[in-house]
Amino acid sequence: MASRPGLLTDWPWTPLGSFKYLVLTPLVIDGIYSYATMRDHDKLMVVALMMWRIVHSQVWISFARYQAAKGTKRIVNKSIEFDQVDRERTWDDQIIFNTLIFYLGKVLVLPTNTAPFWRLDGVVLIALLHAGPVEFFYYWFHRALHHHFLYSRYHSHHHSSIVTEPITSVVHPFAEHIVYTLILGIPLVTTLLCGTISMVSVFLYITYIDFMNNLGHCNFELIPKPFFSLFPPLKFFCYTPSFHSLHHTQFRTNYSLFMPMYDYIYGTNDKCSDSLYETSLEQEEEKTDAIHLTHLTSLDSIYHLRLGFASLSSHPLTSRCYLFLMRPFSLTLSFILTYFSPQTFVFERNRFGDLTLHSHLLPKFSSHYISQRHKERINKMIEAAILEAEKKGVRVMSLGLLNQGEELNGYGEMYVRKHPKLKIRIVDGSSLAAEVVVHSVPVGTREVLFRGQITKVARAIVSSLCQNGIKVLVLREEEHRMLAELLGGDCKENLVLTRNYSPTIWLVGDGLSKEEQKMAGKGTRFLPFSQFPPTKLRKDCFYHTTPAMIIPDSAQNIDSCENWLGRRVMSAWRVGGIVHALEGWEEHECGLHNSILNPPKVWEAALRNGFKPLVLPSLETKGFDNSY
């Protein structure tokens, strides 16, 4: 929002929220009807153009975010945060607006005529009109927007993004887009009046505008030197990302749309344009200190990645009804990722003080980790990622989610045994995850109910609670036997086999059944110790998050959520790897019986580095009577 919002700042369909595409429903129905009854395909071509523009923009979004994660050829070395993602989630409003304009143009101007498929004279005329009137009018309108009256009411909304992304290019108030449409529509209206318009010329021109808009707002330089060295005058007819980036950092220079010639004519070109272009191309990938290796979970998690839908990834992973309509594409994309991606790849880059942390994705879904035939391939991919990180001098590799399963690789111990001279430290994060759960148990608790798969984290939690005098009630004999083997002396007395479901604190992991949840009393607090959260069946009970911590304010470039966790919250397993790197510990923390680090030490280090525990949900938050 601008600092002093002016008239027509909001889009007309803003109150519709996520249902804003409903305004296009009559258009789509009319287009299908016109084609079915009169074989008039022009209206359907308007819909096709809209879909193409959305796909085109999404490709740019994913590509730009992948490059930003790699950190090469960066222009502005600053971070993007949640406020920018929220501000730019309306990037597709201009596509809806333009689609309505094209549709009205077809209905009102060409009700019976059909535009030809191709006319060369129309394409040439559009190119000349763009280089002349369009670029000229845009330049002066853009300069006018930087006058304090218009800037504070409109254009400051766009300039709130110092670090730009492709979609930043179209994030403007509604009033600005009305004027942009009038200016950019000059070539199309002129060719229409001259009778030289064609479907190809419309598609080419709109695609050119979108392409240049997206290119200019990337925060990395991608136009190679030969492009200008072979024909130097091109610098006046094609801007670069670094050229336009200076406009977002200096504000009073480089006003041109796509052709910098008007900045050179009127003396508003930034004197640093050429030098910034050179230095941006020479920017090398920064050294990575730590890598967190995770994987896809559900089918919809493809879109939740930072490389996916920006607005989706900025909220906890939840099922969205409209993603069901994309299921065929989701299945195709998942097949390509699963069977044609031979290695892991980077998808996010964060900063913790002097520490550079990359998140890498192993392109497999949770279902693949259950399949025996996929396990060998997964292990090979993890091993290859570790060895590649070793070559690049990465200090720590933390294994997230199922990448550190006991049955898969023994909590990472397989790789350490196979490569005993590894300099990179493998961290499974179990020590911190266990401590997070232990410290989530309310002070004064005398007994807890344990139910779930016996994992490394579960063993550490039960051992710690029993040593602290808290009784751990276990429902199954096999679980009681496995846990009892870990305890010695008086601690065993605090591990009790029972059929009593009365404790109000439940420690739950994988394997918790629906029937067992129904046995819990009203107001029971479920504290998960598993990587994946339990299914929430009880509305009268409390479900804490999986082990996680709030990250410090100093953490930078945090604009996406991790799985089902909230904003600026990270899983304890991931935080464990970060803390390991921050502290410079030289030990591995992996393997079922080879966890050298002691959990309290890791917990204290996490707090010392600014990580904070999540607050346990209270009875008052749901309005329950505390006296039950």
Side-chain angles (χ1 to χ4, degrees):
M1 189 66 69
S3 54
R4 298 169 60 188
L7 186 66
L8 295 179
T9 290
D10 291 328
W11 293 82
W13 42 80
T14 297
L16 294 178
S18 299
F19 297 97
K20 59 187 176 184
Y21 278 91
L22 288 177
V23 302
L24 298 176
T25 303
L27 183 158
V28 176
I29 295 174
D30 185 43
I32 296 173
Y33 177 78
S34 297
Y35 181 76
T37 57
M38 297 177 289
R39 288 298 182 266
D40 181 1
H41 58 262
D42 281 8
K43 292 176 182 176
L44 280 182
M45 293 304 292
V46 172
V47 178
L49 177 60
M50 176 191 71
M51 297 302 297
W52 160 241
R53 296 185 67 194
I54 292 174
V55 172
H56 183 195
S57 297
Q58 183 59 49
V59 169
W60 271 104
I61 293 169
S62 299
F63 173 64
R65 289 193 156 206
Y66 174 68
Q67 287 294 122
K70 291 175 62 178
T72 55
K73 300 178 182 178
R74 284 172 296 132
I75 300 171
V76 179
N77 191 19
K78 292 185 179 180
S79 61
I80 293 175
E81 306 295 338
F82 283 109
D83 58 345
Q84 179 170 341
V85 175
D86 292 340
R87 185 172 59 252
E88 296 180 349
R89 65 183 303 178
T90 60
W91 64 271
D92 53 348
D93 280 341
Q94 50 90 29
I95 295 180
I96 297 176
F97 178 59
N98 294 158
T99 301
L100 292 173
I101 295 296
F102 284 129
Y103 174 74
L104 292 175
K106 164 61 184 173
V107 172
L108 300 177
V109 182
L110 295 171
T112 57
N113 298 328
T114 299
F117 180 75
W118 165 258
R119 287 197 59 156
L120 179 61
D121 53 354
V123 174
V124 173
L125 181 57
I126 283 179
L128 293 174
L129 289 172
H130 177 85
V134 171
E135 289 281 347
F136 177 79
F137 289 143
Y138 178 90
Y139 173 84
W140 284 105
F141 176 63
H142 194 182
R143 286 191 66 171
L145 285 174
H146 279 261
H147 183 277
H148 64 86
F149 181 84
L150 292 177
Y151 186 82
S152 61
R153 287 164 175 77
Y154 298 104
H155 204 51
S156 60
H157 178 72
H158 177 68
H159 275 274
S160 298
S161 301
I162 304 299
V163 182
T164 59
E165 290 193 299
I167 52 177
T168 307
S169 62
V170 290
V171 178
H172 301 276
F174 178 51
E176 276 192 51
H177 269 290
I178 294 176
V179 180
Y180 293 147
T181 301
L182 293 174
I183 294 175
L184 294 170
I186 291 174
L188 298 179
V189 173
T190 304
T191 54
L192 176 64
L193 296 176
C194 294
T196 59
I197 196 169
S198 66
M199 281 189 261
V200 172
S201 65
V202 173
F203 267 78
L204 284 178
Y205 185 53
I206 298 301
T207 300
Y208 166 76
I209 292 171
D210 289 343
F211 181 89
M212 295 301 292
N213 252 334
N214 289 323
L215 179 147
H217 287 80
C218 290
N219 188 36
F220 57 91
E221 191 55 73
L222 50 76
I223 299 182
K225 289 182 181 180
F227 186 81
F228 296 112
S229 59
L230 293 176
F231 189 63
L234 277 176
K235 68 180 291 187
F236 301 109
F237 296 97
C238 180
Y239 74 168
T240 65
S242 55
F243 181 91
H244 190 69
S245 178
L246 283 168
H247 176 70
H248 277 261
T249 55
Q250 303 303 320
F251 298 102
R252 297 292 182 180
T253 58
N254 296 3
Y255 294 102
S256 292
L257 180 55
F258 308 138
M259 300 180 178
M261 59 181 178
Y262 289 103
D263 280 302
Y264 285 95
I265 291 173
Y266 296 108
T268 53
N269 63 299
D270 197 293
K271 302 302 184 288
C272 298
S273 297
D274 291 340
S275 60
L276 181 62
Y277 170 72
E278 298 278 347
T279 56
S280 297
L281 282 175
E282 295 170 359
Q283 185 83 18
E284 296 182 356
E285 183 177 348
E286 64 183 345
K287 184 180 180 299
T288 308
D289 298 299
I291 291 177
H292 179 68
L293 182 61
T294 186
H295 60 81
L296 296 163
T297 53
S298 64
L299 193 61
D300 292 342
S301 65
I302 298 173
Y303 308 111
H304 186 258
L305 286 174
R306 193 179 185 276
L307 306 182
F309 293 168
S311 58
L312 279 184
S313 64
S314 65
H315 293 86
L317 176 60
T318 55
S319 58
R320 305 292 178 102
C321 57
Y322 58 84
L323 291 181
F324 179 78
L325 301 175
M326 301 178 64
R327 190 53 57 91
F329 177 74
S330 303
L331 290 170
T332 303
L333 182 57
S334 65
F335 178 80
I336 294 173
L337 277 173
T338 301
Y339 293 98
F340 295 99
S341 296
Q343 59 187 11
T344 64
F345 59 88
V346 62
F347 69 91
E348 189 173 12
R349 175 175 55 88
N350 309 123
R351 294 283 301 178
F352 288 80
D354 295 331
L355 183 76
T356 299
L357 171 69
H358 280 191
S359 294
H360 283 224
L361 183 77
L362 195 152
K364 299 289 183 183
F365 293 86
S366 298
S367 57
H368 293 117
Y369 289 78
I370 303 173
S371 171
Q372 193 64 37
R373 67 187 183 91
H374 281 97
K375 287 184 178 180
E376 183 178 354
R377 187 178 180 187
I378 290 173
N379 271 324
K380 287 182 178 179
M381 294 178 74
I382 297 174
E383 182 180 0
I386 292 172
L387 296 179
E388 181 64 24
E390 170 92 345
K391 291 179 182 178
K392 294 183 178 181
V394 179
R395 291 155 44 196
V396 172
M397 169 79 80
S398 60
L399 304 177
L401 294 178
L402 302 180
N403 286 329
Q404 45 124 317
E406 183 174 353
E407 294 182 359
L408 180 69
N409 50 44
Y411 300 103
E413 188 175 7
M414 172 192 295
Y415 314 117
V416 175
R417 288 190 175 184
K418 190 173 180 179
H419 305 280
K421 295 184 179 180
L422 278 177
K423 293 181 180 178
I424 187 173
R425 298 309 170 198
I426 310 302
V427 176
D428 62 26
S430 299
S431 297
L432 184 59
E435 282 298 291
V436 167
V437 177
V438 168
H439 284 83
S440 296
V441 176
V443 176
T445 299
R446 294 185 178 182
E447 62 179 18
V448 299
L449 183 69
F450 176 92
R451 175 67 193 96
Q453 184 178 337
I454 308 298
T455 62
K456 180 179 177 180
V457 172
R459 292 178 174 96
I461 293 171
V462 171
S463 177
S464 178
L465 292 177
C466 289
Q467 289 176 14
N468 289 326
I470 298 176
K471 290 188 179 296
V472 178
L473 279 58
V474 182
L475 296 172
R476 301 190 178 185
E477 291 185 11
E478 179 64 17
E479 292 173 359
H480 181 271
R481 182 188 63 76
M482 294 176 65
L483 291 172
E485 293 176 355
L486 304 173
L487 306 175
D490 297 336
C491 292
K492 283 189 177 182
E493 296 179 0
N494 291 323
L495 184 67
V496 181
L497 180 63
T498 183
R499 297 300 298 171
N500 180 13
Y501 291 87
S502 62
T504 57
I505 303 295
W506 283 36
L507 304 179
V508 297
D510 297 328
L512 176 69
S513 67
K514 296 179 180 179
E515 291 71 21
E516 287 168 333
Q517 284 197 53
K518 293 178 182 178
M519 297 295 291
K522 178 182 177 181
T524 295
R525 305 182 188 186
F526 295 102
L527 306 184
F529 58 81
S530 55
Q531 296 271 11
F532 293 83
T535 303
K536 297 181 180 180
L537 300 178
R538 299 284 300 273
K539 293 183 178 180
D540 59 347
C541 295
F542 304 92
Y543 293 84
H544 200 33
T545 67
T546 52
M549 300 189 78
I550 302 171
I551 63 175
D553 295 336
S554 59
Q556 299 176 359
N557 207 41
I558 310 293
D559 61 14
S560 61
C561 290
E562 182 181 338
N563 300 318
W564 37 83
L565 299 176
R567 291 185 168 185
R568 298 190 72 83
V569 175
M570 283 186 178
S571 71
W573 290 272
R574 186 178 179 185
V575 174
I578 297 172
V579 171
H580 206 101
L582 289 171
E583 293 293 313
W585 290 328
E586 293 298 327
E587 308 93 341
H588 294 288
E589 187 201 347
C590 59
L592 182 58
H593 304 291
N594 191 32
S595 181
I596 299 176
L597 300 176
N598 93 46
K601 174 184 175 182
V602 183
W603 171 258
E604 292 169 4
L607 297 179
R608 186 169 59 250
N609 283 284
F611 292 92
K612 301 176 183 177
L614 288 165
V615 178
L616 193 68
S618 64
L619 298 175
E620 291 76 13
T621 58
K622 282 196 174 183
F624 290 156
D625 184 0
N626 199 8
S627 61
Y628 69 89

